[in-house]
Amino acid sequence: MRPVWWVAACCGLLAACGPRYSRKVPSELVTKLPYEVRIELLEAENDLGVAVDQRDEAESQVLRTRNAIRRARDRKSTAEREVGEAHDAVSREVAKLAVDEAGARIEYLRARQEVNVVSQDRDELALQCAWARYELAKLNAARKAKVEGAEKLPLKDFEEQPKQCQAEVVNKQLRVTQENKRAETVRTDWE
């Protein structure tokens, strides 16, 4: 079972993101769960951890591509200076080719960044879905253990959260696929 601080950190991250799927099982119900039933929550907790890792990787990819765009701009600036400093036609032509290549690389990286941004958005939502599944698992565990107060929580609402969220993730994945196709077209042009 993950330490309490880990779950609290995930809760804090989600609160900062403003989750739309906000149905939560009161912590008093979870603390009343017997140890054996808490173990059953491990799978949902692990899914939550995977979702956090995926979102973090998507965020890192956005930052790496942003840095690659900066480096590509610097290379283009250097190549442009070389065009002006070229002393003969061959050197000037080589420098112009370097400028064109750097420009195409920047265009590709920008298209790649669009993919990264929509992927990050999708992974952020997928994290909310994992959280909604975790809350559903907690409610089901509380009901299974017949914890007092669990029967008062609307099971149907908790069941709907992950379904609605997953449908949104599918829609966002379609956008990722579209952006990916566009980026591949730009990449082909660059290469």
Side-chain angles (χ1 to χ4, degrees):
M1 192 163 215
R2 294 206 190 274
V4 174
W5 65 265
W6 186 87
V7 175
C10 288
C11 183
L13 286 173
L14 285 174
C17 301
R20 289 174 278 184
Y21 303 100
S22 58
R23 284 245 179 236
K24 305 246 183 272
V25 174
S27 58
E28 308 84 60
L29 294 182
V30 178
T31 56
K32 293 177 184 176
L33 289 174
Y35 179 75
E36 301 79 32
V37 176
R38 285 186 191 193
I39 289 177
E40 294 176 15
L41 295 177
L42 284 176
E43 186 176 331
E45 285 181 10
N46 288 338
D47 289 345
L48 187 57
V50 168
V52 168
D53 290 345
Q54 285 177 328
R55 192 274 323 268
D56 290 348
E57 178 56 32
E59 189 174 285
S60 294
Q61 189 62 37
V62 166
L63 294 175
R64 283 192 297 267
T65 304
R66 184 180 302 150
N67 289 332
I69 290 170
R70 283 188 194 125
R71 288 190 307 273
R73 285 183 185 152
D74 289 344
R75 274 186 252 162
K76 184 177 181 188
S77 295
T78 301
E80 288 169 343
R81 274 195 308 275
E82 288 176 8
V83 169
E85 296 170 358
H87 297 293
D88 58 75
V90 173
S91 298
R92 188 172 295 114
E93 187 61 32
V94 169
K96 285 180 181 179
L97 289 173
V99 169
D100 292 344
E101 188 278 333
R105 178 181 182 79
I106 291 169
E107 287 305 310
Y108 165 68
L109 289 171
R110 285 182 179 154
R112 192 78 232 148
Q113 188 71 323
E114 285 297 317
V115 173
N116 295 339
V117 169
V118 294
S119 295
Q120 181 182 14
D121 189 37
R122 178 207 54 211
D123 290 346
E124 193 69 50
L125 183 60
L127 176 57
Q128 290 182 28
C129 295
W131 192 262
R133 286 189 300 274
Y134 180 59
E135 291 299 321
L136 176 60
K138 290 191 305 188
L139 179 58
N140 285 333
R143 284 176 168 244
K144 179 179 178 181
K146 297 185 177 99
V147 174
E148 187 178 332
E151 71 283 348
K152 294 177 184 172
L153 294 174
L155 179 62
K156 185 176 180 172
D157 291 350
F158 279 86
E159 289 174 336
E160 282 301 310
Q161 278 190 143
K163 288 177 187 175
Q164 290 174 354
C165 187
Q166 196 57 43
E168 279 190 62
V169 168
V170 168
N171 288 335
K172 290 197 182 274
Q173 179 57 43
L174 292 173
R175 174 111 191 273
V176 170
T177 302
Q178 291 170 343
E179 290 297 328
N180 234 338
K181 286 179 184 175
R182 192 175 77 74
E184 286 306 311
T185 302
V186 174
R187 180 182 180 164
T188 303
D189 293 344
W190 168 49
E191 291 177 338

